[in-house]
Amino acid sequence: MDEAHAEAEAFWESFASRYNDRPGRRTVEVVPALIADLDLAGAIVLDLACGIGRGSRIVADAVGEDGLVVAVDLTPAMLAQARDENDLPNIDYVQGSAEATGLADGAVDHAVCNLGLMLFPSAPAALRELRRVVRPGGSLRVGVWGRAEDSSMMTLAQAAAERVGVSLPQPPRSNFYLGSPEALEAAAEGTGWRLHRSQRSEVRFPYATAQEACADLGLTPDDANPRLRPAVGDDWDALCAAAEAVAAERLEGRGFLRLDMLLGVFGDA
């Protein structure tokens, strides 16, 4: 396993329970829209970056008892919880990476990847692997983070950090970098896929209070947040106070934070 994959696995091992408890229960809501126009009865479908399998379960309902969902994830912690929460006879859970799923050429009829493509070390490499394992004529359905300016949930921590003048650890590139049709098209160039269509979607995260939102994001004074707290150090309490203030402003008159998403449908190039 290379350094990028080792770091990703370590992050998701530590973050899995936090994400799965609340935010992960909302982000799965776009999966029905991803597969809405497909007749999947009896099909074999790859769910890449399946997490704890909530999206896999939706796809499993669509393929029925004669179909199969091959649910692939990099992280053993995610797969273990997936088996506990969604242990169905038509879901096969497999540990693998986006660039090396371990599946045979043309092994699946279609593929779904919700909120994974923008996190992979190389989107083109992942798309080439998906093109290899999806049979000719099959499709790929992806959901990625869309526009940062319309995503009050995923930008809250950074906005709070800027308010109090502290630095947060940053990914090598923004997780919003694939959030336009042009960016998805560019990522697919030379991979064997072509973006056939795309549409905007939105995931809403309802909160009664700003404190509740900050708790979901791991931005409270008593949270041991393994990713952010060590980097912030003595400024942790100040960051949490700023996060609560930003969350209150963003929730006012709405009652929810949101994530803008772009859904893309790929077919043969």
Side-chain angles (χ1 to χ4, degrees):
M1 182 182 296
D2 63 27
E3 183 177 352
H5 288 98
E7 289 179 358
E9 182 176 333
F11 170 77
W12 286 107
E13 287 280 353
S14 65
F15 191 65
S17 61
R18 183 192 309 280
Y19 177 78
N20 295 333
D21 185 43
R22 288 290 296 277
R25 294 188 182 277
R26 292 285 175 179
T27 53
V28 72
E29 293 173 359
V30 302
V31 173
L34 285 174
I35 63 173
D37 64 322
L38 287 174
D39 179 3
L40 293 179
I44 302 174
V45 180
L46 167 63
D47 181 14
L48 182 61
C50 67
I52 65 166
R54 291 180 181 138
S56 304
R57 186 182 189 97
I58 293 171
V59 180
D61 288 343
V63 303
E65 62 182 14
D66 294 328
L68 177 68
V69 178
V70 183
V72 174
D73 200 272
L74 180 67
T75 311
M78 290 287 195
L79 292 170
Q81 190 170 341
R83 293 186 181 98
D84 289 341
E85 187 170 318
N86 301 286
D87 186 15
L88 299 174
N90 61 346
I91 303 179
D92 185 13
Y93 293 105
V94 177
Q95 185 178 6
S97 73
E99 303 86 356
T101 60
L103 304 182
D105 293 357
V108 301
D109 300 305
H110 302 280
V112 173
C113 183
N114 184 38
L115 293 176
L117 190 62
M118 75 282 178
L119 301 176
F120 299 150
S122 169
L127 289 169
R128 284 191 292 271
E129 172 69 355
L130 287 162
R131 179 62 284 177
R132 182 185 70 79
V133 302
V134 175
R135 64 168 176 76
S139 69
L140 165 65
R141 313 306 176 92
V142 305
V144 297
W145 288 16
R147 297 168 294 209
E149 61 270 23
D150 293 326
S151 298
S152 54
M153 177 75 165
M154 305 309 182
T155 58
L156 192 150
Q158 185 59 41
E162 291 170 0
R163 184 166 295 190
V164 295
V166 301
S167 297
L168 298 183
Q170 300 296 323
R173 59 180 179 246
S174 168
N175 289 337
F176 292 97
Y177 86 104
L178 291 177
S180 70
E182 294 77 14
L184 280 182
E185 288 177 341
E189 186 174 352
T191 67
W193 292 114
R194 180 172 66 84
L195 182 66
H196 286 190
R197 65 181 184 275
S198 63
Q199 68 183 72
R200 293 285 169 187
S201 186
E202 179 181 88
V203 178
R204 293 185 175 185
F205 302 85
Y207 295 109
T209 66
Q211 295 94 327
E212 185 184 359
C214 289
D216 265 8
L217 291 165
L219 295 169
T220 61
D222 59 350
D223 197 297
N225 195 310
R227 184 175 73 92
L228 298 183
R229 189 161 190 165
V232 175
D234 293 340
D235 292 319
W236 180 249
D237 285 357
L239 175 67
C240 292
E244 187 173 322
V246 173
E249 293 165 8
R250 294 183 174 188
L251 286 168
E252 187 175 4
R254 296 184 179 86
F256 62 86
L257 300 178
R258 61 186 183 177
L259 169 63
D260 184 66
M261 289 188 62
L262 181 67
L263 310 184
V265 175
F266 292 89
D268 294 336

